[in-house]
Amino acid sequence: MLKSVFKGVLLFFTIALSCSIVVNAEKQEQGEKDNGTVVYHIKYDYDAISNFLGMSRDEYEQHWKEGLSIADMGKTQGISRRDIEGYFVSLHYRELQKWRTKGVLLEKHYFDIVYRLAVEVEDFIDRNPNRKIN
């Protein structure tokens, strides 16, 4: 008897949780109309990044497998960290302007993204999951 009550309660909470996830997903799709959250995402062109770093895509991939970050690769190529950061900030700026032109971003979303952008760029250029930890 207790088992069936427990199963019923568990089933009820599973269904209730599933419904709330569906509602949140629908609100996410409506975005601006409901003052929802805008999720900014950019797809990086690694051919362009390797070209900026002055190496072929194969060289870039090899260095990546060795655990070098984009900042490390730039340093070995004689590119300053400031120039690398500038490259990615400019890339994001152009993409954000496209989003603003399309009307996807309100000013509050734009400035929220810009506020966080420097930290995100630094994290991105320093990150490599292939890096060996000593």
Side-chain angles (χ1 to χ4, degrees):
M1 178 71 169
L2 186 57
K3 263 186 169 178
S4 63
V5 171
F6 179 72
K7 285 182 182 179
V9 170
L10 184 62
L11 180 62
F12 171 75
F13 282 116
T14 303
I15 292 171
L17 181 61
S18 298
C19 291
S20 67
I21 291 171
V22 170
V23 170
N24 287 333
E26 288 173 1
K27 285 183 180 178
Q28 181 71 20
E29 289 174 7
Q30 291 173 357
E32 284 303 329
K33 296 174 190 166
D34 293 337
N35 292 324
T37 303
V38 173
V39 178
Y40 171 71
H41 177 74
I42 187 170
K43 183 175 180 180
Y44 290 107
D45 179 355
Y46 288 94
D47 289 328
I49 293 171
S50 60
N51 187 44
F52 169 75
L53 294 171
M55 59 181 66
S56 70
R57 178 69 185 263
D58 290 336
E59 289 173 308
Y60 175 89
E61 295 293 334
Q62 182 59 39
H63 290 310
W64 185 258
K65 287 177 186 174
E66 293 169 0
L68 294 178
S69 67
I70 292 172
D72 296 332
M73 289 182 232
K75 187 175 182 179
T76 62
Q77 295 295 101
I79 302 170
S80 73
R81 182 176 184 88
R82 186 176 183 119
D83 288 343
I84 296 169
E85 290 170 349
Y87 172 82
F88 284 99
V89 168
S90 295
L91 181 73
H92 282 278
Y93 174 78
R94 289 189 304 272
E95 188 65 23
L96 284 168
Q97 294 311 309
K98 289 179 196 174
W99 283 47
R100 288 176 83 185
T101 302
K102 291 178 186 175
V104 176
L105 289 178
L106 292 176
E107 290 298 304
K108 67 179 182 177
H109 296 124
Y110 174 78
F111 286 108
D112 181 54
I113 292 167
V114 169
Y115 178 76
R116 293 177 291 139
L117 191 57
V119 172
E120 290 179 19
V121 165
E122 285 186 29
D123 288 345
F124 179 75
I125 67 173
D126 288 330
R127 178 181 341 140
N128 186 330
N130 298 318
R131 186 181 306 264
K132 294 177 180 87
I133 299 173
N134 294 332

